[in-house]
Amino acid sequence: AEHQHARYNPLRDDWVLVSAHRVKRPWQGQLEKPPPEDVPRWDPNNPLCPGATRANGEVNPQYEGTFVFPNDFPALQPDAPEPDDSDHPLFRAAPARGVCKVMCFHPWSDLTLPLMSLPEIRAVIDAWAELATELGASYPWVQIFENKGAMMGCSNPHPHCQVWASSFLPNEARLEDRTQRQHLSQHGVPMLLEYAEQEARRKERLVVENADWLVVVPYWATWPYQTLLLPRRHVCRLQDLSDSERDNLASIMQRLLIKYDNLFEVSFPYSMGWHGAPTGPYLEEDCKHWQLHAHYYPPLLRSATVRKFMVGYEMLAQAQRDLTPEQAAERLRSLPEVHYK
């Protein structure tokens, strides 16, 4: 807890430098603006609101639950042309096709997931699973992710996430596929299933748990209050979850996100995303080395206005964090599960 050391991340096959004493240093750097507390519940000029007109001229329906639509500014399109052939191995390109969708969680702009009801969160989970099934029928990778807060690049306060399906396995997916495959081959058990069992027994990095799920600050965490959401049983994909597992997922997500908000009494920014076994052509392959999981990467370090910057040493050498995962877990674990609002 007091002396720097490096920790190995078996999921990414890399290392993180832990320097817990650095959090004591004085801060005269950038201070972030807390998110606005006065977001209107409905704004006709907000393109994600029910009945609003989006940039392409389409009018949203008067939706009352979740609402999914094609991203008006997609990073991936299904009909992109092939890149030109390379004339040198140092200048390679490859085709990249896909579709991008946006999912609104709720019709109200002033709500976030921790302030939604359990049935409303369960509806989000069901919509995620439906999209994973639909897009995964043909695409190898379906990335469900939420950027929450302007600090994490979110351009609209309305509660929503994005779903990108790609014709290729992205870098993180290829890396996790390799490391999990190697672990199963060497140890005979899926890496993250074994890891969840170890963390459930040790408890020092445990944040919340229930019958089907647990949330930990991973031993190899990079971001200050990074967490890993894990199922207790072996399950490869989001769409494979049972009804009771989906109910308990809604509950543990709500509990975690309430703790996040309570940490600095602010709508807590983060980027989160689901990782599961590849789909498309991989549906016919043996993917038992995979274990479904969700990553949460929040940037805040000391307060609602002081964030962790991944610059300098982190960009040029390796990741570095300013408090131990055990310290972060203890602080999150001790927070109340009733929202500060």
Side-chain angles (χ1 to χ4, degrees):
E2 296 297 328
H3 303 286
Q4 69 268 13
H5 59 281
R7 296 191 184 192
Y8 179 64
N9 181 347
L11 196 57
R12 300 197 73 258
D13 188 24
D14 64 11
W15 292 81
V16 57
L17 175 63
V18 181
S19 310
H21 55 284
R22 273 174 56 83
V23 79
K24 300 174 183 177
R25 73 191 192 279
W27 182 256
Q28 295 181 333
Q30 179 173 319
L31 298 179
E32 308 293 334
K33 291 183 178 179
E37 296 281 347
D38 56 349
V39 176
R41 178 156 292 182
W42 183 81
D43 180 356
N45 296 315
N46 185 330
L48 298 187
C49 282
T53 302
R54 303 203 309 273
N56 62 358
E58 292 191 18
V59 178
N60 295 335
Q62 294 291 341
Y63 65 92
E64 297 181 352
T66 60
F67 170 50
V68 179
F69 62 92
N71 194 315
D72 297 326
F73 303 96
L76 292 164
Q77 296 177 323
D79 53 358
E82 295 272 340
D84 294 335
D85 291 334
S86 173
D87 61 356
H88 192 281
L90 292 179
F91 300 92
R92 295 167 59 192
R97 300 185 179 93
V99 296
C100 299
K101 294 182 180 290
V102 176
M103 180 201 297
C104 295
F105 296 154
H106 196 280
W108 295 355
S109 293
D110 58 344
L111 281 190
T112 55
L113 280 170
L115 296 172
M116 289 166 54
S117 69
L118 288 177
E120 289 168 340
I121 300 173
R122 168 64 195 265
V124 170
I125 294 166
D126 288 339
W128 282 342
E130 289 173 14
L131 277 173
T133 301
E134 173 195 337
L135 297 174
S138 53
Y139 286 102
W141 189 255
V142 180
Q143 184 59 64
I144 298 167
F145 66 97
E146 178 193 5
N147 293 326
K148 183 186 174 208
M151 196 182 301
M152 297 308 291
C154 184
S155 60
N156 192 307
H158 194 94
H160 72 285
C161 73
Q162 298 188 56
V163 184
W164 295 10
S166 61
S167 62
F168 55 91
L169 289 187
N171 293 341
E172 293 295 312
R174 287 190 292 109
L175 184 55
E176 289 193 3
D177 185 73
R178 174 175 64 81
T179 57
Q180 290 181 98
R181 189 183 298 275
Q182 289 175 344
H183 188 92
L184 181 64
S185 175
Q186 293 171 4
H187 302 280
V189 61
M191 178 198 295
L192 291 180
L193 181 62
E194 181 179 12
Y195 179 68
E197 292 169 349
Q198 285 287 322
E199 290 288 31
R201 179 174 62 82
R202 295 169 185 257
K203 296 192 181 304
E204 57 189 329
R205 286 169 295 274
L206 191 66
V207 178
V208 287
E209 63 179 329
N210 62 27
D212 294 311
W213 300 88
L214 67 157
V215 175
V216 301
V217 177
Y219 177 80
W220 52 80
T222 298
W223 293 93
Y225 293 97
Q226 175 181 334
T227 54
L228 185 63
L229 172 56
L230 295 162
R232 292 186 183 272
R233 78 169 175 99
H234 186 206
V235 55
C236 290
R237 299 179 177 93
L238 193 63
Q239 53 268 43
D240 298 333
L241 296 174
S242 67
D243 276 346
S244 62
E245 286 171 329
R246 295 184 187 197
D247 285 340
N248 279 330
L249 175 55
S251 173
I252 204 164
M253 283 174 54
Q254 185 188 61
R255 293 168 64 196
L256 169 65
L257 297 180
I258 285 174
K259 284 179 177 288
Y260 269 162
D261 281 7
N262 285 346
L263 178 61
F264 298 129
E265 294 195 350
V266 69
S267 185
F268 207 67
Y270 58 75
S271 285
M272 72 80 64
W274 284 100
H275 283 173
T279 49
Y282 295 90
L283 292 170
E284 304 301 320
E285 296 187 7
D286 183 359
C287 290
K288 64 177 179 290
H289 56 290
W290 269 91
Q291 174 74 328
L292 176 70
H293 58 282
H295 297 281
Y296 284 83
Y297 298 134
L300 292 178
L301 173 60
R302 302 180 184 214
S303 68
T305 61
V306 178
R307 65 178 299 176
K308 167 67 177 178
F309 288 91
M310 292 293 180
V311 295
Y313 189 86
E314 292 87 353
M315 295 176 71
L316 296 165
Q318 71 179 36
Q320 180 269 332
R321 60 178 290 118
D322 300 290
L323 73 166
T324 68
E326 294 76 25
Q327 290 167 336
E330 182 180 13
R331 186 164 184 189
L332 289 172
R333 189 167 54 242
S334 67
L335 292 166
E337 295 186 10
V338 176
H339 199 279
Y340 74 93
K341 284 189 174 181

